[in-house]
């Protein structure tokens, strides 16, 4: 793989990516239905940054992350890594092109094979590449063990001997042994005890600094994203609701969903009265969602047109697009039809 | 992974076979299993030397129906006067061969089909699972009757039929486990590092199903020995050979119970029991050697418990424990807390 110089474009670029999963119908030969896990997502991750993906559980974050690194073939759209369209490559070249991408998994308990020793787990990527000798691999594993804060003695122990946080460290060592440039962290701490969150995050940040990595950081924890991400997208039911630099989004959230999320989490200033926006209902099913704004059933400021007319991403300020009719407005014709009227009077609750 | 590499690995594995057996030996259960199985095999091999009489000699009309004595440790048969002790020794040859042969062949075929169906998916999966469906509804016993009358009553035919119709159950179980394993994150991590399907199948998927395969081999080996007895009962066994199963059938036919010759029935029973017992011990220990750190929660133990329902007992017990945990707090809140007493 020829490395493009950093200034020729983003390291990773997704264009109108959609991922659908078929669901079995209630009876054979019934009309095929689709889970629209990710719909029409475009984003760019530039070299060296930490890019956040935020959203509720089940909104398609993992699916999107998998599509980025070539683990899930998108139904539509293109994914370009270093300017190369990943999914148009032949399998052999594809494997080569992907060698600089790695992932840290959400669940540290299912991400390590219980039958492998720590040494076998960490060296596995090198072993698969098959170019390093046993002694070279051992030295490398030892170096990484120290880096992630584990002992030399841990090398021949098995995953069941370790706590969640330690397992995640093992997973991190495995992910960086091939010196990747691009690392997807899929909620690396959400399955862990709160007390070790900071340690793991600090470790990740140290590694990023010392190895000049680009991170995509998936999370549903807004405070974490605020602290470590430069740019981010907010997802809801498979679509991007708002994107931009995290400074801009946290300072000036524009989408009703983002506002609700922020009001629920970032109540650090206890002196101010809390005016939390409570969302009614649950996340609707991602199977065959309605054509309009995906958020309309739960949106506190939904308008009559929201259910039927798709909300397109529109830039409010440079580099801060938002998908909401409140921002982009309706056309004069639609306004004349009364589509901009609120669905029901809201009482702020 | 390229071919030479694979061969290299196989060679390295071969080299570690010695250490593998040593590990089995170091485990008390494994040692017991190895000693028993080794002893049985030795008896089978040395049968001509060990047996005091020719078990095939059916001409001893004068020695019919003798009770156990120093000349005939287990007496003789009531019908033809064969020495039962010699039959027992010779019977180990056929019984062990049928048991182990069928068990291993069945495990191999079942594992291969199950892993292929589960891991490759798509067309291969559909094909294999349709074959399994068809096999499951074909009744085995009538088929054996038909086939043995067509192809002759050789043990080879019987083993073949057992294998061809026995792999389906194992294949189904393994397939469903493979479906889980193949979506696990460690397989994903290996794929991300560029692992080939062959690598993932041999390194992650197949070892992940080892407990099922080992368990199945031990169980079917035992089961087939008993099934062979059943076939012999029905007169479908090889008429010229002596096996434990056939001894049981002959004991029944010769009126062993009628004559009070219980040793005639017990002897082959003990033979079958000892083989089953040793296979099981070895199976458990192999599983432990493969999964050094899964001892306490060893899946094969769970399977074992499953078989005699103690597993369910455990589940119920844990449920009860949970209930008492839930019930406890209100009691405590009524009673004065220790802190309250001291403070
Ligand atoms: N392989 C699959 N087959 C079918 N449906 C899938 C598959 N993977 C994910 N989905 C569905 O796609 C949707 C998005 O799932 P995804 O795992 O991407 O969510 P997530 O945002 O990562 O959630 P969480 O925060 O719980 O990890 C879910 O409704 C899920 O059921
Ligand atoms: S488009 Fe309508 S429903 Fe969607 S977020 Fe904006 S106001 Fe709410
Ligand atoms: Mg996820």
């Amino acid at each position: 793989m020829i490395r493009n110089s950093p200034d020729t474009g983003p390291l990773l670029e997704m264009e109108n990516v959609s991922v659908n999963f078929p669901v079995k119908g209630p009876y054979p030969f019934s009309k095929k239905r689709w889970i629209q896990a990710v719909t029409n997502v475009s984003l760019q991750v530039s070299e060296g940054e930490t890019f956040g993906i935020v959203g509720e559980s089940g909104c398609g974050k993992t699916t999107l992350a998998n599509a980025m690194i070539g683990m899930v073939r998108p139904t539509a759209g293109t994914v370009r890594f270093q300017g190369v369209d990943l999914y148009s490559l032949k399998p052999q070249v594809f494997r080569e092109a992907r060698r600089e991408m790695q992932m840290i998994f959400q669940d540290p308990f299912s991400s390590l094979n219980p039958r492998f020793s720590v040494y076998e787990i960490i060296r596995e990527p090198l072993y698969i590449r098959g170019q390093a000798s046993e002694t070279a691999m051992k030295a490398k594993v030892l170096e990484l063990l120290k880096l992630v804060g584990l002992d030399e003695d841990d090398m021949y122990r098995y995953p069941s001997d370790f706590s969640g946080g330690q397992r995640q460290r093992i997973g991190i060592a495995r992910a960086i042994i091939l010196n990747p440039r691009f690392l997807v962290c899929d909620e690396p701490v959400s399955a862990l005890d709160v007390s070790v969150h900071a340690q793991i995050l600090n470790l990740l940040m140290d590694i990023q600094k010392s190895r000049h990595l680009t991170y995509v950081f998936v999370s549903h924890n807004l405070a974490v994203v605020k602290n470590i991400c430069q740019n981010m997208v907010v997802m809801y039911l498979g679509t991007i609701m708002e994107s931009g630099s995290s400074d801009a989004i946290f300072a000036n959230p524009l989408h009703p969903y983002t506002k609700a999320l922020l009001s629920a989490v970032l109540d650090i200033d206890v002196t101010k009265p809390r005016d939390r926006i409570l969302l009614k209902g649950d996340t609707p099913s991602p199977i065959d969602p309605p054509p309009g704004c995906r958020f309309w059933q739960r949106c506190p400021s939904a308008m009559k047109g929201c259910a039927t007319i798709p909300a397109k991403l529109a830039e409010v300020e440079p580099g801060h697009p938002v998908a909401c009719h409140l921002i982009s407005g309706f056309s004069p014709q639609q306004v004349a039809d009364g589509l901009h009227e609120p669905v029901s009077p809201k009482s702020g609750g | 992974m390229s071919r030479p590499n694979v061969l290299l690995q196989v060679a390295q594995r071969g080299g570690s076979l010695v250490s593998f057996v040593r590990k089995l030996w170091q485990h008390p259960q494994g040692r017991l299993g190895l000693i028993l199985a080794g002893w049985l095999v030795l008896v089978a091999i040395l049968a001509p030397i060990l047996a005091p009489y020719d078990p095939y000699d059916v001409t001893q009309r004068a020695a019919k129906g003798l009770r156990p004595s120093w000349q005939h440790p287990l007496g003789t048969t009531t019908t033809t006067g064969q020495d039962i002790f010699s039959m027992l020794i010779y019977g180990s040859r056929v019984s062990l061969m049928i048991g182990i042969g069928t068990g291993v062949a069945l495990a191999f075929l079942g594992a291969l089909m199950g892993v292929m169906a589960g891991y490759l998916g798509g067309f291969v999966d559909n094909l294999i699972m349709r074959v399994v469906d068809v096999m499951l509804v074909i009744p085995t016993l009538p088929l054996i009757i038909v086939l043995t009358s067509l192809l002759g009553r050789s043990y080879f035919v019987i083993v073949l039929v057992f294998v061809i119709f026995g792999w389906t159950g194992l294949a189904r179980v393994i397939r469903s486990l493979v479906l889980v394993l193949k979506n696990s994150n460690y397989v994903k991590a290996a794929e991300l590092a560029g692992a080939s399907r062959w690598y993932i199948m041999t390194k992650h998927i197949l070892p992940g199903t080892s407990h099922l395969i080992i368990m199945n081999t031990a169980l079917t080996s035992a089961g087939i020995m008993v099934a062979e007895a059943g076939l012999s009962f029905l007169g479908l066994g090889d008429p010229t050979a002596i096996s434990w199963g056939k001894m049981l059938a002959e004991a029944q036919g010769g009126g062993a119970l009628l004559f009070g010759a219980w040793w005639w029935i017990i002897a082959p029973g003990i033979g079958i029991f000892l083989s089953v017992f040793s296979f099981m011990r070895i199976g458990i220990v192999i599983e432990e050697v493969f999964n050094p750190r899964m001892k306490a929660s060893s899946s094969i133990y769970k399977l074992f418990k499953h078989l005699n329902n103690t597993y369910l007992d455990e589940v119920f017990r844990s449920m009860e424990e949970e209930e008492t945990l839930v019930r406890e707090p209100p009691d405590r809140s009524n009673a004065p807390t220790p802190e309250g007493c001291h403070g």
Side-chain angles (χ1 to χ4, degrees):
Chain A
M1 210 63 256
I2 305 148
R3 283 201 177 188
N4 297 1
S5 56
D7 47 27
T8 49
L11 183 65
L12 180 111
E13 194 177 11
M14 297 182 103
E15 227 170 77
N16 303 325
V17 170
S18 299
V19 182
N20 297 345
F21 295 111
V23 267
K24 280 232 169 73
Y27 47 92
F29 308 114
S30 58
K31 195 168 158 270
K32 218 178 202 175
R33 301 194 302 164
W34 299 92
I35 292 183
Q36 303 196 357
V38 171
T39 307
N40 212 9
V41 165
S42 304
L43 53 83
Q44 299 182 341
V45 182
S46 33
E47 179 104 47
E49 76 168 326
T50 304
F51 188 92
I53 302 177
V54 185
E56 280 171 270
S57 184
C59 73
K61 304 182 297 291
T62 300
T63 310
L64 181 64
N66 281 335
M68 277 178 190
I69 55 173
M71 298 299 292
V72 170
R73 182 171 280 274
T75 322
T78 52
V79 180
R80 275 192 289 275
F81 184 67
Q82 302 182 355
V84 182
D85 182 356
L86 270 187
Y87 290 95
S88 68
L89 297 173
K90 291 199 183 68
Q92 205 64 39
V93 196
F94 178 65
R95 241 182 248 164
E96 276 300 302
R98 225 173 41 169
R99 69 185 308 167
E100 299 192 87
M101 314 169 117
Q102 281 294 325
M103 188 163 191
I104 292 167
F105 296 95
Q106 188 166 358
D107 177 13
F109 292 90
S110 78
S111 63
L112 310 178
N113 190 338
R115 281 150 213 269
F116 280 24
S117 68
V118 170
Y119 168 64
E120 287 171 313
I121 290 171
I122 298 180
R123 65 127 201 218
E124 188 179 35
L126 273 183
Y127 181 75
I128 289 170
R129 290 263 184 257
Q131 281 149 1
S133 70
E134 192 74 18
T135 35
M137 287 196 286
K138 205 160 271 181
K140 184 84 189 167
V141 169
L142 201 60
E143 176 200 328
L144 287 177
L145 270 180
K146 289 216 181 91
L147 180 74
V148 300
L150 290 170
D151 272 351
E152 185 178 347
D153 304 339
D154 293 336
M155 208 139 109
Y156 297 105
R157 293 164 73 196
Y158 287 79
S160 54
D161 294 345
F162 295 92
S163 68
Q166 288 170 318
R167 283 167 186 237
Q168 203 59 296
R169 289 170 192 270
I170 297 169
I172 292 171
R174 173 178 62 189
I176 59 177
I177 197 168
L178 289 177
N179 295 321
R181 292 171 83 188
F182 183 72
L183 194 60
V184 174
C185 311
D186 183 7
E187 307 199 33
V189 295
S190 67
L192 304 181
D193 206 77
V194 184
S195 58
V196 297
H197 281 196
Q199 295 171 16
I200 298 289
L201 289 175
N202 281 335
L203 175 64
L204 282 172
M205 291 303 108
D206 290 347
I207 290 172
Q208 181 179 36
K209 218 176 280 167
S210 63
R211 303 189 163 227
H212 311 288
L213 294 179
T214 308
Y215 279 177
V216 164
F217 198 92
V218 178
S219 181
H220 54 236
N221 187 339
L222 283 161
V224 170
V225 170
K226 182 181 182 181
N227 280 320
I228 66 174
C229 296
Q230 284 85 53
N231 290 300
M232 62 184 280
V233 293
V234 179
M235 280 182 83
Y236 184 81
L237 266 190
T239 54
I240 291 184
M241 289 295 168
E242 184 163 4
S243 72
S245 75
S246 38
D247 290 342
I249 290 179
F250 279 96
N252 182 20
L254 293 167
H255 196 281
Y257 178 62
T258 320
K259 282 182 189 165
L261 274 186
L262 291 185
S263 78
V265 191
L266 292 180
D267 278 325
I268 301 156
D269 190 357
V270 278
T271 54
K272 266 202 229 159
R274 288 160 67 107
D275 43 350
R276 289 178 64 160
I277 308 167
L278 286 177
L279 294 178
K280 49 191 158 81
D282 258 334
T283 319
S285 152
I287 302 175
D288 294 338
C293 171
R294 297 224 168 147
F295 188 48
W296 75 271
Q297 286 114 320
R298 301 173 72 196
C299 179
S301 32
M303 296 168 288
K304 280 184 177 153
C306 292
T308 48
I309 303 163
K312 295 217 169 57
L313 279 170
E315 286 204 357
V316 208
E317 47 193 28
H320 186 175
V322 179
C324 176
H325 292 307
L326 280 180
I327 309 296
S328 55
F330 288 108
S331 71
Q333 177 57 42
Q334 289 162 337
V335 171
D337 292 346
L339 292 181
H340 65 293
E341 287 165 22
V343 171
S344 58
K346 284 277 155 339
S347 54
Chain B
M1 184 152 298
S2 60
R3 208 123 269 277
N5 244 334
V6 175
L7 291 179
L8 193 73
Q9 274 171 38
V10 172
Q12 282 165 350
R13 284 282 139 122
S16 66
L17 190 69
V18 178
S19 70
F20 178 72
V21 173
R22 192 179 304 137
K23 272 186 202 155
L24 279 188
W25 185 252
Q26 277 157 2
H27 195 289
Q29 298 247 353
R31 187 176 303 185
L32 182 65
L34 278 183
I35 289 177
L36 265 179
W39 183 71
L40 285 172
V41 169
L42 211 66
V43 165
I45 292 172
L46 299 179
I49 300 169
L50 292 176
Y53 298 90
D54 178 7
Y56 294 99
D57 183 8
V58 293
T59 59
Q60 302 296 321
R61 314 211 124 240
K64 277 200 290 192
L66 293 180
R67 304 186 74 79
S69 64
W70 284 115
Q71 274 87 37
H72 296 281
L74 287 171
T76 56
T77 64
T78 55
T79 45
T80 51
Q82 286 157 282
D83 179 49
I84 295 178
F85 184 62
S86 304
M87 287 173 81
L88 185 67
I89 290 173
Y90 268 88
S92 63
R93 292 187 149 187
V94 170
S95 284
L96 284 183
M97 230 145 71
I98 290 188
I100 297 175
T102 315
V104 170
L106 223 152
F108 185 78
L109 193 64
L112 186 74
M113 291 299 181
V115 169
M116 282 204 333
Y119 186 61
L120 298 179
F123 171 72
V124 181
D125 185 20
N126 266 329
L127 186 73
I128 293 178
M129 289 330 279
R130 288 301 81 76
V131 172
V132 166
D133 288 346
V134 172
M135 295 292 216
L136 280 179
V137 295
I138 296 180
T140 322
L141 191 60
L143 198 88
I144 292 181
I145 296 178
V146 170
L147 282 179
T148 46
S149 62
L150 275 179
L151 302 169
R153 292 178 189 173
S154 79
Y155 279 117
F156 181 72
V157 174
I158 293 174
V159 168
L160 201 70
V161 174
F162 272 132
V163 170
I164 289 177
F165 287 89
W167 62 269
T168 51
L170 180 64
R172 276 165 70 108
V173 184
I174 289 198
R175 174 181 173 269
S176 51
L177 182 60
V178 169
L179 286 182
V180 175
L181 291 179
K182 109 173 157 176
N183 284 322
S184 67
N185 283 336
Y186 55 82
V187 167
K188 246 190 212 170
E191 278 173 1
L192 213 52
S196 63
R197 289 178 155 208
W198 174 252
Y199 175 91
I200 288 171
M201 227 146 83
T202 53
K203 286 280 175 169
H204 287 291
I205 307 273
L206 212 51
T209 61
S210 65
H211 60 286
L212 281 179
I213 298 175
I214 291 167
M215 190 70 183
N216 195 75
T217 312
L219 277 179
T220 44
S221 296
I224 295 296
M225 284 188 193
V226 178
E228 188 261 335
L231 286 183
S232 300
F233 250 89
L234 294 174
L236 294 172
D238 188 336
T240 61
I242 294 175
S243 72
W244 290 337
K246 197 124 152 295
M247 285 175 72
L248 280 175
E250 274 174 14
Q252 164 83 2
L257 287 175
L258 208 66
F259 290 101
W262 49 267
W263 52 86
W264 193 359
I265 297 174
I266 297 287
I270 287 179
I272 293 178
F273 170 76
L274 283 185
S275 343
V276 173
F277 185 78
S278 63
F279 294 167
M280 288 293 200
R281 293 301 109 173
I282 294 178
I284 287 179
V285 178
I286 288 181
E287 164 73 1
E288 277 197 17
V289 171
F290 273 146
N291 302 323
R293 292 306 157 104
M294 296 175 88
K295 260 176 223 164
S297 63
S298 172
S299 25
I300 208 158
Y301 273 121
K302 274 188 206 148
L303 270 181
F304 243 148
K305 285 182 181 164
H306 227 59
L307 289 175
N308 57 19
N309 281 337
T310 48
Y311 184 66
L312 276 184
D313 291 347
E314 228 165 66
V315 172
F316 288 140
R317 206 175 310 130
S318 68
M319 279 166 67
E320 275 163 21
E321 267 165 25
E322 237 164 65
E323 260 172 44
T324 52
L325 277 184
V326 173
R327 243 183 276 125
E328 255 167 38
D331 293 340
R332 275 207 196 121
S333 65
N334 288 342
T337 56
E339 287 86 24
C341 284
H342 293 294

